[in-house]
Amino acid sequence: MTKIDTLRRFLLPCLNPTPTSPTPPPTSAVKKRLSTSLRDDLDEKKHFANQETIEQERDAQEESDSSSSDPTTPIPTSTAISHAPPRCSRTMVIGTIFGSRRGGHVRFCIQHSRLNTRPSLLLELSIPTTTLIQEMQCGLVRIALEFNAAASAESELNRCPLHLIPLWTLCCNGRKLGFAVRRKATQQNRLMLKTMQNITVGAGVIPCGPGSGSEGIMYMRANYECVVGSVDSESFHLINPDGGPGQELSIFLLRTR
């Protein structure tokens, strides 16, 4: 072998090295690396989830503490209802004040329907018609009817409805003017109410028959708001037809014990 062949044999591998592919890592090492990365991701998710849960619990605790310490926190509805006083009952009724033009006492009649000639309440007030007209000219009339149950010898009057009390003490605009007596509607009263069936609001004079010796019956008919405060209190308030300021007339029934 010549020297040239010997040099070519040793120098060619150095000048043109044979490419070698990298040795792939073992399969077990790859699986181990993947499992380690997945475990790290799961641990991080659990960590963040635990942090969010802790923060939510802390916020809820702070809100409950602030609401319990705040004096302006509203009371729950159930508690407020249980301690609230009973509400008043309000209904609309038809009230009629009438009396003879020539003397006589004033009568106050309450109807729940204008077609029913049997009034639910009929009181005769010991106030002359002329006196009531004079009081109404001032624009403000307050009639208070009071019954003292403690001074009554009849115990059933302490429990009966207010409309069944037979006798009341009467005060008009702060002055004691006598009494009020519960009456039963007579045939004449029922005929008068039947005559006024078509009248809801109004005032006038109903003429009497010839030979009666009366100049007629004056009346004032209007809607009243009936307010029942309790079993011992009830009131009737005149509602002006136009809804504006006008005649103010109220009648109060009060039973004291």
Side-chain angles (χ1 to χ4, degrees):
M1 181 181 295
T2 62
K3 293 182 180 180
I4 293 175
D5 294 334
T6 305
L7 290 174
R8 186 183 294 116
R9 183 184 302 172
F10 286 103
L11 291 176
L12 284 176
C14 295
L15 295 174
N16 297 319
T18 304
T20 58
S21 60
T23 306
T27 308
S28 60
V30 176
K31 291 183 178 179
K32 185 176 182 181
R33 191 178 301 114
L34 290 174
S35 63
T36 304
S37 61
L38 290 175
R39 189 180 300 109
D40 294 340
D41 293 341
L42 292 175
D43 292 341
E44 289 181 359
K45 290 182 180 179
K46 288 182 180 179
H47 176 70
F48 287 120
N50 292 335
Q51 275 192 341
E52 291 180 358
T53 306
I54 293 172
E55 290 178 359
Q56 290 177 0
E57 292 178 354
R58 186 183 301 121
D59 295 340
Q61 182 66 27
E62 290 177 357
E63 289 180 1
S64 62
D65 293 342
S66 61
S67 63
S68 61
S69 60
D70 188 4
T72 61
T73 302
I75 302 174
T77 307
S78 58
T79 306
I81 292 177
S82 61
H83 294 284
R87 293 185 177 181
C88 298
S89 172
R90 299 173 181 268
T91 55
M92 189 82 69
V93 296
I94 299 175
T96 307
I97 296 176
F98 61 94
S100 176
R101 295 182 63 180
R102 183 181 296 178
H105 292 162
V106 174
R107 299 199 177 199
F108 178 64
C109 169
I110 288 295
Q111 296 172 272
H112 290 280
S113 172
R114 59 186 175 85
L115 301 178
N116 188 0
T117 58
R118 293 181 179 272
S120 61
L121 177 63
L122 178 60
L123 296 174
E124 181 180 353
L125 313 179
S126 60
I127 303 178
T129 308
T130 54
T131 303
L132 181 61
I133 293 175
Q134 293 174 359
E135 294 289 342
M136 294 180 67
Q137 289 176 354
C138 301
L140 177 64
V141 179
R142 296 286 185 270
I143 298 176
L145 306 180
E146 183 179 358
F147 173 73
N148 189 358
S152 176
E154 301 182 13
S155 60
E156 61 271 11
L157 295 180
N158 298 338
R159 303 181 301 271
C160 70
L162 293 179
H163 291 188
L164 297 182
I165 295 178
L167 187 64
W168 301 83
T169 301
L170 186 150
C171 294
C172 182
N173 287 344
R175 295 180 291 115
K176 186 175 180 180
L177 296 180
F179 300 92
V181 182
R182 180 176 63 88
R183 298 296 187 186
K184 185 177 180 181
T186 62
Q187 186 65 22
Q188 183 181 1
N189 298 146
R190 296 181 62 182
L191 288 175
M192 183 198 67
L193 294 176
K194 187 175 182 179
T195 304
M196 294 189 294
Q197 279 184 351
N198 297 328
I199 301 174
T200 303
V201 178
V205 178
I206 298 177
C208 296
S212 61
S214 176
E215 297 182 1
I217 298 176
M218 299 180 62
Y219 73 90
M220 186 183 71
R221 190 174 175 89
N223 291 321
Y224 285 76
E225 183 184 25
C226 176
V227 180
V228 179
S230 66
V231 294
D232 295 325
S233 65
E234 186 175 356
S235 58
F236 303 93
H237 305 274
L238 175 67
I239 300 175
N240 291 300
D242 54 358
Q247 179 65 51
E248 294 188 18
L249 173 62
S250 298
I251 298 177
F252 300 87
L253 307 180
L254 179 63
R255 174 168 49 194
T256 59
R257 300 180 183 274

